[in-house]
Amino acid sequence: MNVHHSVDAQAFTVEIDGREAELTYARPRADVIDFQHTWVDEELRGRHVGDALAAAALNFAKTENLHIRTSCAFVAAYVKRHPEWEALRATTA
């Protein structure tokens, strides 16, 4: 699955068969990325598209040495299921 990252749009996206999915984020501080919303087209649900978006976004955070916030319930649940990402969690507001 090919996940695209647009820094300008602050989003990770996937397109499959004309259907789209996205994970959006904000950068409240230079060293923090806040994953805010994940949306997957109904036709793509159940195909692990959300997981691919979350993994790509978290890998980006790790590569860029960013702390994470998980305002998005989907990403929060993903991190809970994959506790290896907990070390990236931002500890301050």
Side-chain angles (χ1 to χ4, degrees), residues 21-80:
E22 72 175 0
L23 188 162
T24 60
Y25 64 88
R27 294 290 304 273
R29 293 194 328 240
D31 65 337
V32 174
I33 187 168
D34 182 6
F35 301 115
Q36 297 189 316
H37 181 72
T38 302
W39 179 83
V40 177
D41 184 279
E42 194 170 317
E43 294 293 320
L44 298 179
R45 293 179 189 170
R47 296 170 63 178
H48 304 286
V49 175
D51 288 350
L53 289 168
L58 290 161
N59 277 308
F60 171 77
K62 182 178 180 180
T63 299
E64 297 295 316
N65 296 311
L66 300 172
H67 297 287
I68 64 168
R69 289 188 190 155
T70 53
S71 295
C72 171
F74 179 85
V75 178
Y78 183 90
V79 170
K80 187 173 183 176

